[in-house]
Amino acid sequence: MKKIIKSYHRSKISFWNSINTEWNAIKNDKAIIGVFLSIALLILVAYTFVYSNQVVEKVPVGIVNQDASKLSRDYIAMLNSGDGLKANAIYSDLQDAKVAYYENEIKGIIIIPHDFEKNIKSGKQVTITTFSDASNMLFYKKVLGTVTTINGYFNVGIIIKKDISKGMSYKQAVENYTPIKSVSNSLFNISGGYATYLIPMLTALIIQLVLLMGIGLINGTRNEDRSMKSHFPRLAHKGGTIPVLLGKAILYTFLYLIIIPIQIGIIYTLFSIPIRSSLITVYIFIIPYVFSVVFLGIVISSFFKRREDSLLFIVLTSIPSLMLSGLSFPSEGFSKFYQIIAQLIPSTHGIEGFVKLTQMKASFIEISTEWYKLWGLTLLYFIMASFLLKLKVKKTDVKLIKD
């Protein structure tokens, strides 16, 4: 019994010592403070500000009007009537429009062919040719989508006018053309805003990025000067890694309990990004997320010989991590191999759960799958971190003896 009590008190002292030691390492290192402040807050503000307009409107296009008829001018007026496109200039020659495009004055070209009005009135099919900048998907979709929509409305108008000229009433002509009425409703991201889509995913990804960089810098420094054992003397003892790892994880979790309300409470509110979950639910969800990332960071940083190695590693792996998270491309489209790799990265589940909570108004039961997966990763990386810390301490002892 005395041994158990003695072991408990030693673990308790080690636990609080690890929290205190890690906190001192953070607050006394300007680089780490910069990582937490600049990336966790400033970069999120910068990204949110950049995409604060949410929706691309009035994309500049050039119109090559080869017909110059009243009906072609009506068509151009319809293109300009919405928020999608803005006809910067009307060209009579395609080459002039190409020059404007390559000089980045316009993002697309729309060609109205010869005999546009004549062919329409005679019942012949008319082809509207569109060129759009596919190097930018937002401009590309906006130009093609707007032209397709306007073409649909224009076709409807022509057919309805023909039916009215045959003696039909306006109501009959409309019903004759549209026997099926379509009603479309956007779920969650009602405005179709890019910031509303991107920023919640980026917020969850930033948690992983900041923690991996911070832990990498701290542990890289300790590996460099071989001070891991001196900072955490209980590591060499049986069961000594458990209080150390828990102390680190709880400290970083506490830091994010302060950072998260700033991110989703202030930044989201300033830029009108909706929040459809309570802060308490978000807190409960991010606990295993932070834990799994902290232990992953300790596992990765155990291989760093210098603190600069952590920055190099994060730079090299940040893009793959970003892609595998499903932020830029749906993870369902990956091959089986990459889907398995994605499952081993905490941000994959962290992003999915965070977005469901804050944007889709999901209940905690509905994100329980992601929550349990994060706890699974927490256990996996906890075991690996314990083993590698023990190994690191033993190697340090051997090197000190040799020296």
Side-chain angles (χ1 to χ4, degrees):
M1 189 67 180
K2 286 183 178 179
K3 286 184 178 180
I4 296 173
I5 294 172
K6 193 175 182 180
S7 177
Y8 167 75
H9 282 294
R10 284 177 177 174
S11 297
K12 183 179 176 182
I13 292 169
S14 180
F15 171 78
W16 288 110
N17 173 67
S18 68
I19 291 177
N20 187 54
T21 302
E22 201 77 2
W23 172 243
N24 287 331
I26 293 171
K27 72 178 184 179
N28 294 328
D29 193 320
K30 292 181 180 179
I32 296 169
I33 292 173
V35 165
F36 274 93
L37 290 179
S38 64
I39 298 180
L41 299 175
L42 298 180
I43 289 182
L44 185 63
V45 171
Y47 269 103
T48 311
F49 180 76
V50 167
Y51 297 112
S52 58
N53 287 334
Q54 294 265 21
V55 180
V56 176
E57 295 180 346
K58 294 294 182 184
V59 176
V61 294
I63 310 291
V64 180
N65 190 358
Q66 297 175 342
D67 191 52
S69 62
K70 181 183 180 302
L71 203 58
S72 66
R73 291 191 292 272
D74 290 342
Y75 180 82
I76 294 170
M78 285 188 72
L79 287 173
N80 274 322
S81 62
D83 294 326
L85 303 179
K86 178 184 178 182
N88 265 19
I90 310 297
Y91 304 96
S92 58
D93 184 73
L94 179 59
Q95 293 304 317
D96 294 337
K98 284 183 178 180
V99 171
Y101 173 79
Y102 288 120
E103 289 180 354
N104 207 31
E105 294 175 7
I106 55 177
K107 299 297 180 183
I109 301 171
I110 301 167
I111 302 175
I112 301 174
H114 290 290
D115 298 327
F116 175 78
E117 184 175 49
K118 179 182 176 182
N119 288 337
I120 285 176
K121 288 183 176 180
S122 62
K124 294 181 181 178
Q125 189 178 53
V126 174
T127 301
I128 298 289
T129 305
T130 305
F131 298 94
S132 57
D133 185 1
S135 65
N136 187 308
M137 293 304 294
L138 291 177
F139 289 144
Y140 175 74
K141 290 178 68 177
K142 179 62 73 172
V143 172
L144 285 187
T146 303
V147 171
T148 301
T149 301
I150 294 302
N151 286 347
Y153 283 126
F154 205 77
N155 286 333
V156 170
I158 292 168
I159 293 170
I160 288 174
K161 283 180 180 178
K162 284 184 177 180
D163 287 343
I164 291 173
S165 67
K166 293 177 182 178
M168 282 189 187
S169 66
Y170 176 77
K171 184 178 179 181
Q172 287 175 324
V174 170
E175 290 176 351
N176 186 51
Y177 181 75
T178 55
I180 299 175
K181 185 179 180 182
S182 176
V183 177
S184 177
N185 295 299
S186 298
L187 300 175
F188 312 121
N189 190 356
I190 298 171
S191 65
Y194 195 67
T196 303
Y197 157 75
L198 178 69
I199 299 305
M201 302 175 82
L202 193 63
T203 304
L205 189 64
I206 281 175
I207 295 176
Q208 177 173 287
L209 179 64
V210 169
L211 286 174
L212 291 181
M213 288 184 71
I215 293 168
L217 285 170
I218 292 172
N219 287 357
T221 303
R222 289 169 182 159
N223 293 339
E224 206 171 322
D225 56 23
R226 300 178 187 175
S227 61
M228 185 68 77
K229 187 177 178 181
S230 62
H231 283 106
F232 306 102
R234 292 287 301 168
L235 277 177
H237 294 74
K238 187 178 180 180
T241 56
I242 296 175
V244 171
L245 290 174
L246 289 178
K248 287 171 174 281
I250 286 172
L251 172 65
Y252 288 111
T253 302
F254 179 77
L255 289 175
Y256 264 97
L257 294 184
I258 298 171
I259 293 172
I260 283 291
I262 298 173
Q263 289 180 328
I264 68 174
I266 298 176
I267 297 174
Y268 281 32
T269 302
L270 284 174
F271 294 99
S272 302
I273 296 174
I275 307 164
R276 300 185 175 97
S277 182
S278 68
L279 192 58
I280 293 174
T281 309
V282 174
Y283 276 164
I284 294 171
F285 177 76
I286 69 166
I287 289 172
Y289 183 35
V290 174
F291 271 42
S292 61
V293 175
V294 169
F295 298 146
L296 174 62
I298 294 170
V299 169
I300 295 170
S301 63
S302 64
F303 299 101
F304 299 153
K305 293 182 179 180
R306 298 178 302 273
R307 64 187 273 131
E308 293 81 9
D309 293 343
S310 64
L311 297 177
L312 180 62
F313 178 83
I314 294 301
V315 169
L316 291 174
T317 58
S318 58
I319 299 300
S321 179
L322 178 74
M323 295 176 67
L324 290 172
S325 68
L327 178 65
S328 58
F329 188 79
S331 56
E332 292 81 7
F334 298 144
S335 66
K336 197 68 179 177
F337 173 77
Y338 288 111
Q339 285 185 15
I340 293 171
I341 297 297
Q343 292 296 308
L344 295 174
I345 302 174
S347 59
T348 303
H349 313 295
I351 287 174
E352 192 169 349
F354 187 79
V355 170
K356 284 181 180 179
L357 278 178
T358 60
Q359 303 304 305
M360 299 182 179
K361 205 176 181 179
S363 65
F364 195 79
I365 294 174
E366 290 169 319
I367 52 96
S368 60
T369 301
E370 289 79 16
W371 196 65
Y372 289 131
K373 285 180 179 178
L374 287 171
W375 277 118
L377 291 179
T378 297
L379 179 61
L380 171 65
Y381 294 128
F382 178 83
I383 294 170
M384 292 176 67
S386 299
F387 172 77
L388 289 169
L389 278 179
K390 282 282 188 184
L391 191 64
K392 179 66 69 176
V393 170
K394 288 180 181 178
K395 284 184 177 180
T396 303
D397 287 342
V398 171
K399 285 181 181 178
L400 289 172
I401 291 170
K402 286 181 178 180
D403 294 342

mmCIF file of all heavy atoms in Angstrom, residues 261-281:
data_model
loop_
_atom_site.group_PDB
_atom_site.id
_atom_site.type_symbol
_atom_site.label_atom_id
_atom_site.label_comp_id
_atom_site.label_asym_id
_atom_site.label_seq_id
_atom_site.Cartn_x
_atom_site.Cartn_y
_atom_site.Cartn_z
ATOM 1 N N PRO A 261 -12.023 29.907 -28.310
ATOM 2 C CA PRO A 261 -13.072 30.947 -28.252
ATOM 3 C C PRO A 261 -12.693 32.207 -29.017
ATOM 4 O O PRO A 261 -13.562 32.883 -29.571
ATOM 5 C CB PRO A 261 -13.185 31.243 -26.748
ATOM 6 C CG PRO A 261 -12.660 30.036 -26.075
ATOM 7 C CD PRO A 261 -11.588 29.501 -26.971
ATOM 8 N N ILE A 262 -11.399 32.523 -29.070
ATOM 9 C CA ILE A 262 -10.961 33.689 -29.843
ATOM 10 C C ILE A 262 -11.166 33.421 -31.332
ATOM 11 O O ILE A 262 -11.651 34.281 -32.076
ATOM 12 C CB ILE A 262 -9.476 34.002 -29.550
ATOM 13 C CG1 ILE A 262 -9.290 34.348 -28.074
ATOM 14 C CG2 ILE A 262 -8.989 35.150 -30.433
ATOM 15 C CD1 ILE A 262 -7.840 34.506 -27.647
ATOM 16 N N GLN A 263 -10.807 32.214 -31.750
ATOM 17 C CA GLN A 263 -10.932 31.868 -33.166
ATOM 18 C C GLN A 263 -12.386 31.839 -33.625
ATOM 19 O O GLN A 263 -12.758 32.494 -34.599
ATOM 20 C CB GLN A 263 -10.269 30.519 -33.433
ATOM 21 C CG GLN A 263 -8.753 30.552 -33.349
ATOM 22 C CD GLN A 263 -8.130 29.205 -33.616
ATOM 23 O OE1 GLN A 263 -8.708 28.167 -33.307
ATOM 24 N NE2 GLN A 263 -6.945 29.187 -34.184
ATOM 25 N N ILE A 264 -13.213 31.061 -32.933
ATOM 26 C CA ILE A 264 -14.591 30.906 -33.421
ATOM 27 C C ILE A 264 -15.558 31.920 -32.811
ATOM 28 O O ILE A 264 -16.633 32.150 -33.361
ATOM 29 C CB ILE A 264 -15.113 29.473 -33.181
ATOM 30 C CG1 ILE A 264 -15.290 29.187 -31.679
ATOM 31 C CG2 ILE A 264 -14.206 28.452 -33.800
ATOM 32 C CD1 ILE A 264 -15.933 27.844 -31.394
ATOM 33 N N GLY A 265 -15.151 32.518 -31.696
ATOM 34 C CA GLY A 265 -16.041 33.491 -31.057
ATOM 35 C C GLY A 265 -15.875 34.892 -31.596
ATOM 36 O O GLY A 265 -16.847 35.606 -31.819
ATOM 37 N N ILE A 266 -14.633 35.291 -31.819
ATOM 38 C CA ILE A 266 -14.354 36.660 -32.256
ATOM 39 C C ILE A 266 -14.144 36.724 -33.768
ATOM 40 O O ILE A 266 -14.813 37.486 -34.468
ATOM 41 C CB ILE A 266 -13.122 37.224 -31.515
ATOM 42 C CG1 ILE A 266 -13.391 37.292 -30.005
ATOM 43 C CG2 ILE A 266 -12.752 38.604 -32.061
ATOM 44 C CD1 ILE A 266 -12.208 37.732 -29.184
ATOM 45 N N ILE A 267 -13.206 35.903 -34.275
ATOM 46 C CA ILE A 267 -12.879 35.972 -35.710
ATOM 47 C C ILE A 267 -14.079 35.583 -36.572
ATOM 48 O O ILE A 267 -14.403 36.262 -37.549
ATOM 49 C CB ILE A 267 -11.666 35.074 -36.028
ATOM 50 C CG1 ILE A 267 -10.433 35.591 -35.267
ATOM 51 C CG2 ILE A 267 -11.398 35.041 -37.529
ATOM 52 C CD1 ILE A 267 -9.218 34.705 -35.384
ATOM 53 N N TYR A 268 -14.757 34.494 -36.209
ATOM 54 C CA TYR A 268 -15.923 34.073 -36.987
ATOM 55 C C TYR A 268 -17.022 35.137 -36.960
ATOM 56 O O TYR A 268 -17.674 35.395 -37.967
ATOM 57 C CB TYR A 268 -16.489 32.759 -36.436
ATOM 58 C CG TYR A 268 -15.742 31.518 -36.848
ATOM 59 C CD1 TYR A 268 -14.364 31.543 -37.059
ATOM 60 C CD2 TYR A 268 -16.390 30.315 -37.025
ATOM 61 C CE1 TYR A 268 -13.666 30.403 -37.422
ATOM 62 C CE2 TYR A 268 -15.709 29.160 -37.395
ATOM 63 C CZ TYR A 268 -14.343 29.219 -37.587
ATOM 64 O OH TYR A 268 -13.659 28.087 -37.944
ATOM 65 N N THR A 269 -17.218 35.739 -35.803
ATOM 66 C CA THR A 269 -18.260 36.763 -35.670
ATOM 67 C C THR A 269 -17.923 37.994 -36.507
ATOM 68 O O THR A 269 -18.790 38.568 -37.175
ATOM 69 C CB THR A 269 -18.433 37.162 -34.199
ATOM 70 O OG1 THR A 269 -18.757 35.998 -33.439
ATOM 71 C CG2 THR A 269 -19.550 38.187 -34.041
ATOM 72 N N LEU A 270 -16.642 38.407 -36.474
ATOM 73 C CA LEU A 270 -16.217 39.586 -37.232
ATOM 74 C C LEU A 270 -16.456 39.420 -38.726
ATOM 75 O O LEU A 270 -16.810 40.368 -39.418
ATOM 76 C CB LEU A 270 -14.732 39.868 -36.983
ATOM 77 C CG LEU A 270 -14.367 40.520 -35.645
ATOM 78 C CD1 LEU A 270 -12.852 40.593 -35.497
ATOM 79 C CD2 LEU A 270 -14.976 41.909 -35.529
ATOM 80 N N PHE A 271 -16.276 38.194 -39.227
ATOM 81 C CA PHE A 271 -16.382 37.948 -40.675
ATOM 82 C C PHE A 271 -17.662 37.192 -41.046
ATOM 83 O O PHE A 271 -17.771 36.641 -42.136
ATOM 84 C CB PHE A 271 -15.151 37.185 -41.160
ATOM 85 C CG PHE A 271 -13.877 37.984 -41.054
ATOM 86 C CD1 PHE A 271 -13.011 37.796 -39.986
ATOM 87 C CD2 PHE A 271 -13.562 38.942 -41.996
ATOM 88 C CE1 PHE A 271 -11.841 38.526 -39.875
ATOM 89 C CE2 PHE A 271 -12.391 39.687 -41.895
ATOM 90 C CZ PHE A 271 -11.529 39.478 -40.831
ATOM 91 N N SER A 272 -18.616 37.168 -40.129
ATOM 92 C CA SER A 272 -19.962 36.616 -40.381
ATOM 93 C C SER A 272 -19.944 35.157 -40.828
ATOM 94 O O SER A 272 -20.716 34.751 -41.698
ATOM 95 C CB SER A 272 -20.688 37.472 -41.441
ATOM 96 O OG SER A 272 -20.782 38.805 -41.029
ATOM 97 N N ILE A 273 -19.057 34.376 -40.235
ATOM 98 C CA ILE A 273 -19.052 32.935 -40.492
ATOM 99 C C ILE A 273 -19.925 32.274 -39.432
ATOM 100 O O ILE A 273 -19.702 32.469 -38.238
ATOM 101 C CB ILE A 273 -17.618 32.368 -40.444
ATOM 102 C CG1 ILE A 273 -16.793 32.988 -41.578
ATOM 103 C CG2 ILE A 273 -17.626 30.846 -40.555
ATOM 104 C CD1 ILE A 273 -15.345 32.624 -41.554
ATOM 105 N N PRO A 274 -20.940 31.523 -39.838
ATOM 106 C CA PRO A 274 -21.889 30.971 -38.863
ATOM 107 C C PRO A 274 -21.255 29.960 -37.908
ATOM 108 O O PRO A 274 -20.313 29.254 -38.276
ATOM 109 C CB PRO A 274 -22.946 30.293 -39.752
ATOM 110 C CG PRO A 274 -22.251 30.026 -41.042
ATOM 111 C CD PRO A 274 -21.262 31.132 -41.217
ATOM 112 N N ILE A 275 -21.757 29.913 -36.681
ATOM 113 C CA ILE A 275 -21.341 28.921 -35.682
ATOM 114 C C ILE A 275 -22.614 28.245 -35.195
ATOM 115 O O ILE A 275 -23.470 28.883 -34.580
ATOM 116 C CB ILE A 275 -20.605 29.573 -34.502
ATOM 117 C CG1 ILE A 275 -19.443 30.435 -35.009
ATOM 118 C CG2 ILE A 275 -20.100 28.516 -33.534
ATOM 119 C CD1 ILE A 275 -18.915 31.387 -33.979
ATOM 120 N N ARG A 276 -22.741 26.961 -35.443
ATOM 121 C CA ARG A 276 -23.980 26.259 -35.140
ATOM 122 C C ARG A 276 -23.786 25.195 -34.059
ATOM 123 O O ARG A 276 -24.391 24.140 -34.100
ATOM 124 C CB ARG A 276 -24.537 25.626 -36.422
ATOM 125 C CG ARG A 276 -24.849 26.646 -37.517
ATOM 126 C CD ARG A 276 -25.504 26.009 -38.721
ATOM 127 N NE ARG A 276 -25.904 26.998 -39.705
ATOM 128 C CZ ARG A 276 -25.200 27.330 -40.772
ATOM 129 N NH1 ARG A 276 -24.031 26.737 -40.985
ATOM 130 N NH2 ARG A 276 -25.631 28.238 -41.622
ATOM 131 N N SER A 277 -22.905 25.485 -33.122
ATOM 132 C CA SER A 277 -22.679 24.548 -32.030
ATOM 133 C C SER A 277 -22.286 25.327 -30.785
ATOM 134 O O SER A 277 -21.821 26.463 -30.870
ATOM 135 C CB SER A 277 -21.587 23.546 -32.400
ATOM 136 O OG SER A 277 -21.393 22.612 -31.363
ATOM 137 N N SER A 278 -22.450 24.693 -29.632
ATOM 138 C CA SER A 278 -22.058 25.344 -28.378
ATOM 139 C C SER A 278 -20.560 25.180 -28.167
ATOM 140 O O SER A 278 -19.943 24.222 -28.647
ATOM 141 C CB SER A 278 -22.814 24.733 -27.207
ATOM 142 O OG SER A 278 -22.399 23.397 -26.986
ATOM 143 N N LEU A 279 -19.980 26.101 -27.419
ATOM 144 C CA LEU A 279 -18.548 26.064 -27.139
ATOM 145 C C LEU A 279 -18.180 24.830 -26.324
ATOM 146 O O LEU A 279 -17.116 24.232 -26.529
ATOM 147 C CB LEU A 279 -18.139 27.337 -26.397
ATOM 148 C CG LEU A 279 -16.641 27.611 -26.260
ATOM 149 C CD1 LEU A 279 -15.970 27.688 -27.622
ATOM 150 C CD2 LEU A 279 -16.411 28.889 -25.474
ATOM 151 N N ILE A 280 -19.050 24.419 -25.430
ATOM 152 C CA ILE A 280 -18.782 23.247 -24.587
ATOM 153 C C ILE A 280 -18.650 21.994 -25.444
ATOM 154 O O ILE A 280 -17.752 21.165 -25.237
ATOM 155 C CB ILE A 280 -19.900 23.062 -23.532
ATOM 156 C CG1 ILE A 280 -19.868 24.225 -22.539
ATOM 157 C CG2 ILE A 280 -19.745 21.745 -22.791
ATOM 158 C CD1 ILE A 280 -20.998 24.227 -21.548
ATOM 159 N N THR A 281 -19.549 21.848 -26.426
ATOM 160 C CA THR A 281 -19.482 20.683 -27.321
ATOM 161 C C THR A 281 -18.186 20.682 -28.123
ATOM 162 O O THR A 281 -17.567 19.633 -28.308
ATOM 163 C CB THR A 281 -20.685 20.680 -28.283
ATOM 164 O OG1 THR A 281 -21.887 20.829 -27.539
ATOM 165 C CG2 THR A 281 -20.750 19.386 -29.075
#
